[in-house]
Amino acid sequence: MALLHQRFENDNVFVVPFDKFLNWARLSSIWQMQFGLACCAIEMMAASASNFDIMRFGVIPRATPRQVDVMFVAGTVTIKMASRIKRLYDQMPEPRYVISMGSCANCGGPYWEHGYHVLKGVDRVIPVDVYVPGCPPRPEALLEGIIKLQDKIRKDSYLRKPAK
Amino acid sequence: MTAQDIHDKLKAAFGDAVQEAKLDAMQPWIRIAPNRTAEVCAWLHDQPEMKLDYLMCLSGMDYNNGKLGVVYHLSSIEHKHKIVLKTECPKDDPHVLTVSGVWGTANWHEREAYDMYGIIFDGHPDLRRLLMPDDWDGHPLRKDYKVQEFYHGMKVPY
């Protein structure tokens, strides 16, 4: 949008595929489920703070799953928590996305062998779109994860009939 | 009061409930019978010259020789003395008397020890698991623990 800002003398008409327009709108306002599970949540908070300013990507934390597009699984998913995460994911409206942040949420992390209480990867209960590696990942890594998710949303085609 | 004094007074009051002691250790400890913990602890808590009114920590133990144990770290805020109590019970029938009536702190500590080691604290008002889900199999910190394959359809091992 910045490319077009105040460049024209009069009003203009633009012709774009509606899917592209829709995707541009969606990827520019990815609302985030506001919750964190462990130390990765601290990095997520740092990403939200002014140094990294996650809001420039249109990521706004929301306190209810009904209003969100993406869930950052930021931290260790215990087996007790897994059923709650599944429920929160089920409460999110479609289309919905999941970013798995950090080694624990990706694959169990340091708890992979002796962690009887840790789910070895959140993808055992919910589908994951982007995996962000790191223990914990720096805020830049999370930002890159968001950019990767934006790339993914950009390629969606919701209006087209599914292939037979 | 020194650990020796505490041990001698305890021995005089309870006799064979006091099983063993190591008083020259950095943290001197006294081992007591598992079926007498409640009265011994109540006595240590209430006696004016002991007044061990602070349960710093209650730990479970698996000695890996067929015995489970409980360790109580006690401290007196007024007299500034400390003592460690230990007790042991067989792994196949682990029963220890609760001390949750003496120190309120012990309530959740004993629930945790029950959760992790399966030690049954007789007389506890609410002996449920503290950390693991209620329907979990086994007690994770026992040395012979094997994790279950599935929990509610989720695969548990890597």
Side-chain angles (χ1 to χ4, degrees), chain B residues 23 37 57:
Chain B
L23 300 171
T37 52
C57 188

Side-chain angles (χ1 to χ4, degrees), chain A residues 8-115:
Chain A
F8 300 96
E9 300 285 335
N10 300 309
D11 289 346
N12 277 278
V13 175
F14 296 94
V15 181
V16 289
F18 195 70
D19 252 345
K20 269 199 175 153
F21 175 70
L22 203 65
N23 287 343
W24 167 79
R26 289 197 305 124
L27 67 85
S28 308
S29 68
I30 311 172
W31 287 9
Q32 166 212 347
M33 179 86 199
Q34 188 184 35
F35 83 110
L37 297 177
C39 31
C40 283
I42 305 295
E43 300 298 308
M44 188 181 71
M45 285 180 246
S48 304
S50 46
N51 273 14
F52 298 97
D53 189 20
I54 211 170
M55 271 197 196
R56 66 199 148 115
F57 297 98
V59 178
I60 302 174
R62 306 300 295 172
T64 162
R66 314 274 179 204
Q67 301 175 353
V68 303
D69 305 296
V70 64
M71 172 193 266
F72 298 152
V73 183
T76 315
V77 184
T78 59
I79 283 165
K80 232 177 168 178
M81 190 69 197
S83 55
R84 277 78 163 171
I85 286 186
K86 178 83 169 68
R87 174 173 291 185
L88 286 171
Y89 179 77
D90 289 343
Q91 287 176 341
M92 285 162 62
E94 287 177 333
R96 55 199 170 188
Y97 301 93
V98 175
I99 293 182
S100 163
M101 183 182 178
S103 296
C104 293
N106 290 345
C107 64
Y111 309 101
W112 72 276
E113 191 173 14
H114 299 296

Side-chain angles (χ1 to χ4, degrees), chain B residues 110-127:
Chain B
E110 287 180 346
R111 279 178 63 187
E112 189 184 5
Y114 163 70
D115 192 354
M116 293 291 136
Y117 294 95
I119 300 164
I120 294 157
F121 291 90
D122 293 322
H124 191 286
D126 183 26
L127 194 65

Side-chain angles (χ1 to χ4, degrees), chain B residues 22-150:
Chain B
K22 184 168 170 59
L23 300 171
D24 56 350
M26 198 159 76
Q27 289 188 309
W29 56 265
I30 301 167
R31 200 169 79 225
I32 55 176
N35 57 354
R36 306 283 297 273
T37 52
E39 51 180 316
V40 171
C41 289
W43 187 83
L44 287 171
H45 179 272
D46 294 338
Q47 283 295 305
E49 79 266 25
M50 300 287 180
K51 212 168 176 190
L52 290 156
D53 50 0
Y54 179 31
L55 176 68
M56 291 191 291
C57 188
L58 187 154
S59 328
M61 286 287 293
D62 184 348
Y63 292 104
N64 210 13
N65 60 357
K67 281 180 175 169
L68 298 176
V70 185
V71 182
Y72 311 81
H73 285 77
L74 309 177
S75 165
S76 169
I77 291 170
E78 186 177 322
H79 300 305
K80 297 186 175 26
H81 55 226
K82 292 175 184 173
I83 193 75
V84 178
L85 293 186
K86 293 184 177 187
T87 186
E88 284 180 11
C89 53
K91 200 173 202 168
D92 45 11
D93 186 29
H95 285 269
V96 177
L97 266 185
T98 180
V99 295
S100 55
V102 183
W103 300 283
T105 319
N107 189 314
W108 277 30
H109 280 264
E110 287 180 346
R111 279 178 63 187
E112 189 184 5
Y114 163 70
D115 192 354
M116 293 291 136
Y117 294 95
I119 300 164
I120 294 157
F121 291 90
D122 293 322
H124 191 286
D126 183 26
L127 194 65
R128 287 176 294 137
R129 284 180 184 273
L130 183 65
L131 301 169
M132 301 305 291
D134 286 338
D135 52 354
W136 192 255
D137 290 338
H139 301 281
L141 293 192
R142 285 193 179 189
K143 297 289 183 193
D144 54 356
Y145 175 72
K146 290 276 180 295
V147 77
Q148 62 198 65
E149 197 67 24
F150 284 94

Side-chain angles (χ1 to χ4, degrees), chain A residues 122-134:
Chain A
V122 73
D123 50 6
R124 288 188 181 184
V125 288
I126 56 175
V128 175
D129 294 287
V130 178
Y131 295 88
V132 178

